[in-house]
Amino acid sequence: PSGDEPMTRSMLVISAHAADFVWRAGGVVALHTSAGGTATVVSLSYGERGESGDLWREPGQTIENVRSRRQKEAARAADLLGAAFIGFDLGDYPLVMDEAATQQLVDVFLDTSPDVVLVHAPNDPFNPDHPVASAASQRARLLAVGAGGAPAAFPTIRPPAMYAFEPHQPDQCDFKPDTFVDVTSAWDQKAEAMKSMVAQTFLREHYVVRAQQRAFQARYLGLGPESNYVEAFQKLTPEKKEFL
């Protein structure tokens, strides 16, 4: 938007586990909502089995308690970023997207009619849940826009742009970033959201350093030394341009 005109764009972020969206796209979500856009975060699972190590160190811990605490962490983090939160509670490791879960995700696409969608990278040899979430997200997008091209009886949305956010180990996941976003102005919001994820405190430093590394790389794209934190993404859908 220009001048005082508010942003009206809608963003949908689909996360396999409770904290994935915070580490990988929290800055972009905060930028988007701060500009007046709407954002919805979907966590397909809470990561209660395989992504809650700090909580499982507590004596007498139960999976029900871990699930509940992870839901609260994710909801608080989304709120700090200005986003609505939806938890599917499908369970993790393995994350299974059956037809009912797929339809539930399609319904979110139809309800939010996003302009841009952020998802996991298609490949991840170290995390079996992430490719499942990515494939399900891409399938749901196609179903929501009308996989047949001209559906006669189903509600549809305009095709949203789709980007993969950065994996934990990008060089092992065929991740080729082609979009860099300066999130320095939103970093305080992202930092607070990361603090909410108390089940994975060990990841905070990793993603601080990653954002700083991407900021240094982005100087070759024209960003200056005032850009301290950058998030990287890879386009998964073709981009429409009026001219180059």
Side-chain angles (χ1 to χ4, degrees):
S2 59
D4 296 327
E5 180 185 354
M7 178 189 286
T8 58
R9 286 166 59 81
S10 171
M11 174 180 286
L12 176 61
V13 187
I14 303 170
S15 182
H17 311 106
D20 292 334
F21 73 96
V22 182
W23 313 126
R24 296 162 170 84
V28 161
V29 175
L31 282 179
H32 181 88
T33 58
S34 295
T38 60
T40 301
V41 171
V42 172
S43 281
L44 300 177
S45 82
Y46 295 127
E48 65 270 18
R49 286 164 53 89
E51 306 226 337
S52 304
D54 289 355
L55 296 182
W56 281 108
R57 294 186 181 92
E58 298 177 4
Q61 189 60 272
T62 66
I63 195 165
E64 291 80 10
N65 184 57
V66 172
R67 184 184 295 113
S68 174
R69 289 177 61 176
R70 290 290 274 169
Q71 187 277 334
K72 293 175 182 177
E73 288 180 10
R76 172 167 169 74
D79 184 63
L80 287 168
L81 298 174
F85 178 77
I86 300 173
F88 278 22
D89 195 15
L90 297 176
D92 61 319
Y93 299 105
L95 172 66
V96 177
M97 289 294 297
D98 59 17
E99 290 307 306
T102 299
Q103 184 59 56
Q104 188 178 0
L105 189 55
V106 171
D107 290 342
V108 174
F109 272 84
L110 295 175
D111 290 341
T112 60
S113 189
D115 296 288
V116 60
V117 183
L118 308 181
V119 302
H120 286 274
N123 299 315
D124 192 332
F126 302 104
N127 194 308
D129 285 0
H130 291 173
V132 170
S134 181
S137 301
Q138 294 182 66
R139 184 183 183 205
R141 175 188 179 274
L142 289 174
L143 291 170
V145 302
F154 301 101
T156 60
I157 60 172
R158 291 175 59 86
M162 180 173 274
Y163 295 82
F165 41 65
E166 185 162 12
H168 188 73
Q169 300 190 52
D171 52 336
Q172 301 296 320
C173 298
D174 299 324
F175 182 75
K176 297 179 174 60
D178 52 28
T179 304
F180 293 77
V181 181
D182 182 358
V183 297
T184 305
S185 64
W187 189 257
D188 287 346
Q189 276 182 270
K190 177 170 179 173
E192 285 301 309
M194 288 195 294
K195 288 180 183 178
S196 298
M197 312 313 297
V198 298
Q200 292 178 294
T201 56
F202 63 95
L203 285 177
R204 293 177 194 167
E205 183 178 358
H206 174 89
Y207 282 99
V208 171
V209 173
R210 177 57 52 79
Q212 292 171 333
Q213 291 172 336
R214 290 303 189 191
F216 181 81
Q217 293 172 346
R219 293 179 188 176
Y220 293 96
L221 304 175
L223 293 182
E226 70 280 359
S227 299
N228 298 315
Y229 302 99
V230 165
E231 290 177 347
F233 301 85
Q234 180 179 346
K235 286 182 285 190
L236 298 179
T237 54
E239 184 177 8
K240 183 182 74 172
K241 291 284 188 181
E242 299 298 329
F243 55 84
L244 294 179

